[in-house]
Amino acid sequence: MVREEVAGSTRTLQWKCVESRVESKRLYYGRFILSPLMKGQADTIGIAMRRALLGEIEGTCITCATSENVLHEYSTIAGIEESVHEILINLKEIVLRSNLYGVRAASICVRGPKYITAQDIISPPYIEIVDTTQHIANLTEPIDFFIELQIKRNRGYRLKSTNDSHDGSYPIDIVSMPVRNVNHSIHSYGNGNEKQEILFIEIWTNGSLTPKEALYEASRNLIDLLIPFLHAEEEDMNLEENENRWNLPLFFFQDRFTNLKKKKVIPLKYIFIDQSELSSKTYNCLKRSNIHTLLDLLSHSQEDLMKMKYFRIEDVKKILGTLQKLFVINLPKKKFSF
């Protein structure tokens, strides 16, 4: 019994993967438990985790395709079995795995007759195609087939805009959802006030990450969303009766540091980089390097930042400008050695 395995501790929460399997290259399954929980806690955690798993995890996908001599999306091309619209649908189904930021270019350049699959995509080495056998098109005649692709990492689902089609460039619906489905269920045991719960979470992914990786990333994202509430100062959250009591003050560090002498000093470990003026790309690069607070950032030099993946000199300059503007501090060019 699962209950017997996890009921040994009544105070410390424990989680465990009780089932894991690969059903296909594009379908992974995992089943996890968390216990022991007090009555009502399992539903609170289960609902929050389900939303985080489905909506807060980033995925990589093809967002646009460009090809010359194509009149419109529903054109047919001699020597190709599929219409342009069908090719775009097939490209939408391709599952990619990467940690890229920003838009990256890829392409397909082949000559028929040929059965084109995802294996024929020429992409940067840090982009992995999960299932190289995915069908794209079938060339039935000796013709040249060339198409340029745009690849982007994002989250959620976004429908393409028909107004974005121009000069042979056709947007593709963005499906950046590595988690295909999530279920959670609850098992209760005990009597009366001693009643406890076990939370079961089932996760299906598209193969670009494992259910265990999805669970970890969703948990981190959920924590990141709630951290500001843990470190909000009481004076900033004062909701006493006044005519503007529903207008919560914004957490701009310019205002907080202008009046620093009038307030208590905020420890650097409580100043989080996501509340500064950094771009989302810069913030995500820092986060991937485990830099979450101002204290973490100040422990690095400019040289350290330049060694980070996808970081450019322009990104470092923006960070230096933000630090100078908000905190009147700077980063050393190199680490001090003793």
Side-chain angles (χ1 to χ4, degrees), residues 190-220:
N191 298 313
N193 295 331
E194 301 297 325
K195 202 166 188 179
Q196 294 183 321
E197 297 177 338
I198 300 175
L199 172 64
F200 292 82
I201 299 180
E202 294 180 289
I203 303 173
W204 290 263
T205 69
N206 65 0
S208 62
L209 77 174
T210 66
K212 187 175 180 180
E213 291 172 332
L215 188 66
Y216 176 80
E217 187 171 339
S219 300
R220 288 298 303 268

Side-chain angles (χ1 to χ4, degrees), residues 94-105:
I94 293 175
V95 179
L96 304 173
R97 178 187 179 104
S98 78
N99 290 320
L100 69 87
Y101 291 93
V103 178
R104 294 293 183 271

Side-chain angles (χ1 to χ4, degrees), residues 46-299:
I47 293 173
M49 285 302 301
R50 184 177 190 277
R51 293 184 66 89
L53 283 162
L54 292 174
E56 297 298 328
I57 298 181
E58 294 182 340
T60 305
C61 63
I62 299 173
T63 60
C64 186
T66 304
S67 181
E68 298 179 355
N69 303 321
V70 176
L71 296 178
H72 53 79
E73 181 179 337
Y74 298 96
S75 300
T76 56
I77 302 175
I80 302 180
E81 191 173 291
E82 293 81 5
S83 66
V84 174
H85 178 68
E86 290 172 324
I87 294 175
L88 294 177
I89 292 177
N90 293 336
L91 291 172
K92 173 183 171 181
E93 296 297 322
I94 293 175
V95 179
L96 304 173
R97 178 187 179 104
S98 78
N99 290 320
L100 69 87
Y101 291 93
V103 178
R104 294 293 183 271
S107 63
I108 301 174
C109 184
V110 297
R111 181 170 179 79
K114 182 176 176 60
Y115 188 83
I116 304 175
T117 65
Q119 188 175 7
D120 297 303
I121 296 177
I122 304 171
S123 62
Y126 47 82
I127 297 177
E128 177 187 349
I129 300 172
V130 172
D131 184 4
T132 57
T133 64
Q134 280 183 267
H135 173 67
I136 296 177
N138 185 23
L139 306 185
T140 58
E141 296 181 11
I143 61 172
D144 292 324
F145 180 88
F146 177 74
I147 188 170
E148 295 179 344
L149 306 173
Q150 285 186 358
I151 298 176
K152 187 177 181 180
R153 184 178 175 86
N154 212 318
R155 66 183 180 89
Y157 181 89
R158 298 181 187 177
L159 291 174
K160 65 183 179 181
S161 173
T162 54
N163 296 328
D164 291 341
S165 301
H166 59 276
D167 298 332
S169 179
Y170 299 95
I172 300 173
D173 292 338
I174 299 176
V175 188
S176 303
M177 299 176 65
V179 177
R180 299 180 63 174
N181 192 21
V182 180
N183 285 337
H184 83 274
S185 57
I186 302 167
H187 173 69
S188 301
Y189 62 96
N191 298 313
N193 295 331
E194 301 297 325
K195 202 166 188 179
Q196 294 183 321
E197 297 177 338
I198 300 175
L199 172 64
F200 292 82
I201 299 180
E202 294 180 289
I203 303 173
W204 290 263
T205 69
N206 65 0
S208 62
L209 77 174
T210 66
K212 187 175 180 180
E213 291 172 332
L215 188 66
Y216 176 80
E217 187 171 339
S219 300
R220 288 298 303 268
N221 291 340
L222 198 57
I223 291 171
D224 287 346
L225 290 173
L226 299 176
I227 278 179
F229 291 111
L230 299 178
H231 305 293
E233 295 181 345
E234 291 183 0
E235 56 266 34
D236 289 331
M237 298 299 292
N238 184 8
L239 297 180
E240 292 181 355
E241 291 184 2
N242 58 70
E243 59 184 7
N244 297 320
R245 63 181 180 178
W246 301 116
N247 296 326
L248 295 179
L250 298 176
F251 292 113
F252 287 137
F253 280 105
Q254 297 95 319
D255 298 332
R256 300 178 75 176
F257 277 82
T258 300
N259 301 317
L260 190 58
K261 294 182 179 179
K262 300 179 182 179
K263 296 184 179 181
K264 60 184 180 181
V265 177
I266 305 173
L268 296 180
K269 64 180 180 180
Y270 293 147
I271 302 177
F272 290 84
I273 60 174
D274 60 334
Q275 296 180 6
S276 59
E277 297 178 343
L278 300 177
S279 65
S280 58
K281 172 185 175 294
T282 304
Y283 166 69
N284 286 327
C285 286
L286 293 174
K287 183 179 174 182
R288 294 289 180 187
S289 300
N290 292 320
I291 299 176
H292 303 283
T293 67
L294 183 58
L295 183 63
D296 297 334
L297 182 57
L298 293 179
S299 66

